[in-house]
Amino acid sequence: MPDLYADIALNLAVDQTFTYQVPEGLRGEVVPGRRVRAPFRGRAVDGYCVGLSDATELDRVLDIEGVLDDGPLISAEMLELTRWIADYYCCSWGQALEAALPGGVRRAIRHRMQTVVRPAVEPDRVADEVEALEDRSPKQAHALHVLSTLEHTATLQELAGLADCSTATIRALAKKGLVVLGREEVDDDPLLSVEPSESETVAPELEPAQDSALRRILGLHRRGGGGVVLVHGVTGSGKTEVYLQAIDRVVADGGGAIVLVPEISLTPQTVRRFRARFEHIAVLHSNLTEGRRREQWHAIQSGEVQVVVGARSAIFAPMPNLGLIVVDEEDGTSFKQDQAPRYHARDVAVVRGHKAGAVVVLGSATPALESYRNARQGKYELARLPGRVQGRPMPKVELVDMRKQSFVPGGSRFLSQRLLGLIANRLSRDEQSIVFLNRRGFSTYVFCTRCGWALKCSHCDVSMTYHRRADRAMCHHCGLRARVPARCPDCKSDAVKSIGLGTEKLEAELARQLPDVPIGRMDSDTVRGRGAHQRVLDAFGSGRFKVLVGTQMVAKGLDFPNVTLVGVVNADTALHLPDFRAGERTHQLVSQVAGRTGRGPKGGLVVVQTWQPEHYTMQTAAGHDYAGFAKTELEHRRQLGFPPFSRAARIVIDGEVPGEVKQAAYDIAGAIKEQSGPTGGVLHGPMPCPIERIKNRHRHHILLLGGKSGVIRAMIAAGRPAFPAGRRMRVAVDIDPVSML
Ligand code: ADP
Ligand code: ZN
Ligand code: ZN
């Protein structure tokens, strides 16, 4: 009897697939890639058929209960890719499949009607209601507060995401009459309605370096069989133009392309350039409504779409005839997913391209050292774009030594006279400035000057950040909000002070120093929800704001020719993080922020305020010297045996009881050491994570280093029997981790 048994991958953290019998009525319906319902431990769960067979050695198999959807949603290509992800990233096949299929497609929403949430209290009473809720229902208080800051209608799911709570929390608010839920059709996606200008539709003639990069890409494309090209080009060197023309060729040959960009670079500006050149594009980002996502997914699958532009998960877009994958700003950490499956979209892109015979283009001004080394070793082709297009100069970068700043009465402790003077100078010429600081909120540390007590999150081992507009201290890890006590809870003195600089204080400080200058701020507090991002950008683009203060969000992708000055405040904060990539991140960040200026004919200047101007990350960033940076940094990594000279994995164990967590970590480390003596792998730890507690869970970690990924996987396999069973503790295996906190 053919195809009597089906192998089913369940979306559970279990390392195997399960065999079920296909009942008569479902024969021919249960095919690889089809979602099914099957009994598991007494209940029905969703799973994916990953294979069929005529026979089984098992004595007793249960029947599949039913099939889902109108047909299989997972192609043979996706089955193979997700299998690879499960093996490589040490997760279950079911988890990998679940990640590859967007929620809107799985849940099969048939129309764009959504449950929306609106406040039911007058705006001037919101603060009181939030306060009344704060003690007994802090999550509800936070959700209500977040809702009140939104300028548009939020869907239930969207608000839950923004407020980091469950939909039940919001429904509880509805029961109390503080919000109302309704069914509505949701606005169109603002990213899809951008209209390009006439000039953007015409492809410029490429410069020689661009042309040679394009020829490398198309050479691989014509040869067939895939291949990877690293396009290493400074900001403004015309990388995007190279992608556009490469895609054009691939599309003309009947192929499709996927372009991955970091989520925060997925701005209307970026989308417009693709829209201008291609008739059928799809944009996939995390703010899409589920209905939209489903629509786009089906449009892609049907072959209507030529180019998919999207963030991390767009790497799973069901593009038939895939000819090209572009990963722009391939060094961006947002390409790494921070929950299982902990995949890196750049690395998945390389594997998908290889399996599909599609060319993969990685682009960056500051390539990840892993990619750079692969290119140097000849595993990837390297195309260099050494200068900006049309001979435009790189902005001059000036390091301001903050140790040498003397405080002038009425002056600023955070902003150097040099930077302030230059901003004023730009204002007088009606040009614009961007001031970057990688920290949101008002002050970053609240403490007692008498006894040293500090305001820490009661759930996490971190200081809370004071947000002035909300007049609350917030934990940036778990979202907890708390009042700043007027008196010190320990010594009862009234000596509670707050220090440290966040973007909110920076904005206030600039306003004090530059009275009557319209200043905008862009960070995740000011741009919540769909469309808000665009409103701030429009205001800056139209010149309504003269100065824009912001976090990461202003570091990437913005292209305003009138911006002739960029200031970087506290440039060295990231240098002190206990992470072997701290230097790389700092160099990347300063280089990226510098790229936001000098994009027009007026040129640009960058002022970097630092306490360590002599540090090689600062020196090389100031000199636009990536190669110099890479040389020093690679030498450090080689000495320490860190990636790219090894493969790394991190095992994080967390739980509510510190002693149990520590014991489990030692047990796992012991099991690994016992087995993996001769493999050449190195184990560091166990040790408490740099952030020892998050959301009331204590954390220990183990770092594994090995020459090959097979060594790492063997070590993890050796440790797995010691992973604690039950739900009290969790173990996360993170292959190629990008964060060590
Ligand atoms: P990158 O992606 O490296 O930052 P872009 O492709 O965005 O660079 O190019 C920077 C600017 O130069 C854009 O405004 C783009 O339209 C323009 N540009 C790119 N290539 C050319 C070219 N060959 N001739 C004229 N302008 C170009
Ligand atoms: Zn005190
Ligand atoms: Zn917290």
Side-chain angles (χ1 to χ4, degrees), residues 457-460 462 475-480 695:
C457 175
S458 52
H459 303 314
C460 311
V462 294
C475 170
H476 289 178
H477 285 274
C478 73
L480 183 82
K695 296 187 188 178

Side-chain angles (χ1 to χ4, degrees), residues 1 23 104 211 311 350 403 494 585 590 610 644 669:
M1 190 71 77
D211 193 52
V350 170
R403 293 168 306 196
D494 58 0
R585 296 259 182 286
V590 175
T610 168

Side-chain angles (χ1 to χ4, degrees), residues 251-267:
V251 167
D253 291 344
I258 297 175
V259 180
L260 302 183
V261 300
E263 179 87 41
I264 48 178
S265 303
L266 206 48
T267 60

Side-chain angles (χ1 to χ4, degrees), residues 9 40 64 164 512 716:
F40 186 75
I64 285 176
D164 193 20
R512 192 167 70 84
I716 290 165

Side-chain angles (χ1 to χ4, degrees), residues 89-218:
Y89 291 103
C90 300
C91 67
S92 78
W93 198 350
Q95 287 175 319
L97 284 159
E98 200 80 356
L101 206 55
V105 180
R106 259 184 277 126
R107 276 187 285 279
I109 296 164
R110 297 208 179 275
H111 43 67
R112 303 236 309 277
M113 295 290 274
Q114 305 250 330
T115 304
V116 295
V117 193
R118 290 177 192 288
V121 286
E122 294 302 317
D124 54 356
R125 281 193 40 234
V126 168
D128 294 339
E129 296 289 356
V130 168
E131 195 172 332
L133 283 170
E134 209 139 63
D135 287 333
R136 297 193 54 189
S137 321
K139 285 193 176 149
Q140 292 176 27
H142 184 57
L144 184 59
H145 165 75
V146 170
L147 180 65
S148 73
T149 63
L150 298 181
E151 290 176 26
H152 66 85
T153 313
T155 68
L156 191 60
Q157 251 79 28
E158 210 181 343
L159 180 60
L162 289 169
D164 193 20
C165 67
S166 67
T167 52
T169 305
I170 299 163
R171 291 189 191 280
L173 283 171
K175 272 218 180 97
K176 291 179 182 163
L178 296 170
V179 303
V180 282
L181 301 180
R183 299 284 293 169
E184 275 183 22
E185 205 160 303
V186 176
D187 299 341
D188 275 336
D189 179 6
L191 280 182
L192 285 178
S193 49
V194 292
E195 280 307 322
S197 69
E198 199 60 37
S199 65
E200 288 173 301
T201 60
V202 187
E205 199 176 318
L206 294 183
E207 300 192 348
Q210 286 176 306
D211 193 52
S212 115
L214 180 66
R215 272 188 283 119
R216 274 176 190 276
I217 297 166
L218 295 182

Side-chain angles (χ1 to χ4, degrees), residues 663-725:
Q663 187 58 50
Y666 274 86
D667 290 347
I668 295 170
I672 295 173
K673 281 182 194 151
E674 209 162 278
Q675 298 236 350
S676 51
T679 61
V682 178
L683 181 150
H684 292 284
M687 57 209 143
C689 296
I691 301 177
E692 284 188 43
R693 189 170 51 117
I694 293 180
K695 296 187 188 178
N696 269 333
R697 299 183 72 90
H698 296 265
R699 311 166 72 234
H700 260 66
H701 67 173
I702 297 166
L703 180 66
L704 305 175
L705 297 172
K708 290 208 172 82
S709 65
V711 171
I712 295 284
R713 266 179 289 160
M715 290 168 89
I716 290 165
R720 203 172 279 279
F723 283 12

